[in-house]
Amino acid sequence: MKKLLALFGAVFASLALATFAADNAPLAGQHLAQKDAKKVETKAAEPKGAKKVELMDINSASEKELATLPGIGDARAKAIVKGRPYKGKDELVQKKIIPDKVYGEIKDRIIAKQK
């Protein structure tokens, strides 16, 4: 009788464990799928072979360097150098050295370091 009860207990425990695992398997799989999706999103956000853009300091860059920025030619580069020093990069618009549209194109590429 003891052997029969032990066998019944083992079978019951195995069935309970199998049922629990089956009920929770979709959740575990879903969690892994979400985790993998995040990895894919992160990789997709960074274009393959993309170079990090170095920030240009408007307080120390040469006219030639400044002229390489989108919307900044020789005349604006000279005006930027002439208006130094800048406390913040947004002073380029405040001092009317460049228009808002140009600032919008370069604001993520420039900084104004303080000495």
Side-chain angles (χ1 to χ4, degrees), residues 34-51:
Q34 289 173 346
K35 194 174 183 179
D36 290 341
K38 287 180 184 176
K39 287 181 185 176
V40 171
E41 287 174 15
T42 302
K43 288 180 182 175
E46 299 170 3
K48 202 171 191 177
K51 294 181 181 178

Side-chain angles (χ1 to χ4, degrees), residues 3-16:
K3 288 184 181 180
L4 185 60
L5 284 176
L7 180 63
F8 178 74
V11 169
F12 180 76
S14 296
L15 286 173

Side-chain angles (χ1 to χ4, degrees), residues 15 18 28 52 68 70:
L15 286 173
K52 289 186 178 180
T68 64

Side-chain angles (χ1 to χ4, degrees), residues 66-74 76-77 97-99 102-103 105-106:
L66 290 166
T68 64
L69 294 168
I72 305 294
D74 293 336
R76 286 187 177 149
I97 295 170
I98 63 172
V102 173
Y103 179 72
E105 293 177 24
I106 67 170

Side-chain angles (χ1 to χ4, degrees), residues 79-90:
I80 292 171
V81 171
K82 187 177 178 181
R84 290 178 179 166
Y86 300 98
K87 292 180 183 176
K89 60 186 180 181
D90 59 328

